[in-house]
Amino acid sequence: MDLNTVIFEQERPVLLSISYRMLGEISSAEDVVQEAWLRFAASDADAIRNPGAWLRRVATNIALDTLKSARARRESYIGPWLPEPIISEHGPSTESRFQLAQECELALLWAMERLSPTERAAFVLREAFDADYSEIATTLGKSEAACRQMVSRAHKRLQTSGPRFDVSPEDAAKAVETFFFAATQDHDQAIKMVSQDAMAITDGGGKASAAFRILHGPKDIITVTQAVMEKAKDLYGVSYAMVFANSQPALARYTGDVLDTLTLVLPDPSGAANWIYVMRNLEKLKVEKPHG
């Protein structure tokens, strides 16, 4: 293995994590990293003083270009779009090629869709990888002052437009259990266990039945959830298991051996269900296996 390959393999986890956090899609993140490798392999390695910084800059800019075209596609997406989960059956794995990316909460990825591409890049580099502002400025072709403003603006938008990002795995596990327990109760009792400003987002992507709009408020959410659970009683071979989605406990529903639904629930400070993520797009429901 030559020196360039050794350097690249050392940086690969960081490049995958940057790309996934930028795009919210696993295959697209891998494509970005592959393109970064091709550019690195074709470059004059002796002229690159800091290969790690060079690769991060290249991967970030490839991801920026990819994100701009991806956003155009998402405008015609069937129903709500949700970031693709990194699913593991037995908790986050140190052997996973997406080990660093597993640490990025799905709720944060969803909320970051509200940022501009450059704001998202600045926020990811600063908050996830502690890049200094000079590196961010060089990467994005902006001044350091502009980058500071972008990161500050991103913080404010995320604090006001998204669910909680400080939920512990224990609280997330309790929230999903409480939510589905609530859905088995009578309607009036069930809606008391969901916060007034709750939202439920289902991504079917045209591959599976799903709500074509975001559900808001306890009445709307519980009515639909109870109807779905009632319908599931007639399905043959349905089973449930707790898995991990981006390091957070989530409920997986299997029909036979096929994972067809993944549900993550985040609570508000009082413990009531506040943000419900439901992935039904089969193309995004793939369990991450250890790499190697």
Side-chain angles (χ1 to χ4, degrees):
M1 187 178 293
D2 62 38
L3 181 58
N4 276 10
T5 303
V6 171
I7 292 171
F8 184 80
E9 289 303 318
Q10 289 174 342
E11 294 294 327
R12 180 188 289 272
V14 171
L15 303 182
L16 275 170
S17 189
I18 290 173
S19 304
Y20 174 70
R21 291 167 192 262
M22 285 289 296
L23 302 170
E25 297 174 343
I26 293 172
S27 60
S28 295
E30 291 180 317
D31 289 344
V32 168
V33 173
Q34 178 63 21
E35 177 62 25
W37 161 245
L38 292 175
R39 295 188 188 185
F40 186 56
S43 67
D44 180 2
D46 292 336
I48 300 174
R49 287 188 174 184
N50 187 333
W54 187 93
L55 284 165
R56 290 191 294 273
R57 182 170 66 252
V58 168
T60 300
N61 280 290
I62 296 171
L64 273 171
D65 291 339
T66 304
L67 181 59
K68 291 171 184 175
S69 61
R71 287 195 162 183
R73 294 196 309 272
R74 290 170 193 174
E75 290 179 359
S76 59
Y77 195 79
I78 299 175
W81 180 93
L82 285 170
E84 185 175 358
I86 300 174
I87 307 168
S88 54
E89 294 175 331
H90 306 292
S93 171
T94 57
E95 298 177 7
S96 167
R97 65 191 185 281
F98 276 92
Q99 180 188 355
L100 289 177
Q102 289 180 92
E103 300 169 2
C104 188
E105 300 96 331
L106 288 166
L108 180 57
L109 285 174
W110 175 79
M112 283 197 293
E113 284 293 301
R114 283 116 192 99
L115 304 179
S116 72
T118 50
E119 284 175 342
R120 186 165 182 160
F123 179 83
V124 167
L125 291 172
R126 180 63 180 173
E127 299 306 314
F129 300 97
D130 198 29
D132 59 41
Y133 282 104
S134 62
E135 180 179 339
I136 298 171
T138 300
T139 298
L140 301 181
K142 307 284 186 180
S143 69
E144 290 188 36
C147 291
R148 289 180 186 276
Q149 289 180 343
M150 283 192 289
V151 173
S152 176
R153 193 161 54 237
H155 269 291
K156 292 176 181 177
R157 288 185 181 178
L158 293 173
Q159 288 171 357
T160 58
S161 66
R164 292 175 61 199
F165 308 128
D166 60 345
V167 178
S168 69
E170 293 76 18
D171 286 344
K174 184 177 180 180
V176 73
E177 292 170 358
T178 300
F179 176 71
F180 280 101
F181 173 76
T184 65
Q185 308 302 301
D186 68 79
H187 189 79
D188 290 341
Q189 180 63 29
I191 63 176
K192 294 177 182 178
M193 305 175 78
V194 178
S195 71
Q196 289 300 310
D197 61 349
M199 66 172 63
I201 314 163
T202 303
D203 181 338
K207 312 296 180 182
S209 61
F212 290 147
R213 63 181 177 85
I214 297 176
L215 305 178
H216 292 276
K219 291 183 179 179
D220 204 9
I221 292 170
I222 289 299
T223 297
V224 173
T225 301
Q226 289 184 330
V228 170
M229 291 181 68
E230 185 63 27
K231 186 177 181 179
K233 292 179 181 178
D234 298 327
L235 297 177
Y236 177 76
V238 172
S239 61
Y240 297 87
M242 292 296 288
V243 297
F244 288 83
N246 294 50
S247 299
Q248 291 283 27
L251 185 68
R253 190 185 82 175
Y254 296 85
T255 300
D257 294 329
V258 178
L259 171 60
D260 63 19
T261 308
L262 179 79
T263 305
L264 172 74
V265 181
L266 298 182
D268 67 10
S270 73
N274 180 251
W275 190 77
I276 299 99
Y277 165 109
V278 184
M279 179 56 68
R280 299 218 67 224
N281 185 340
L282 297 180
E283 292 183 353
K284 296 183 181 181
L285 288 174
K286 301 169 185 175
V287 177
E288 168 73 4
K289 301 296 184 183
H291 185 59

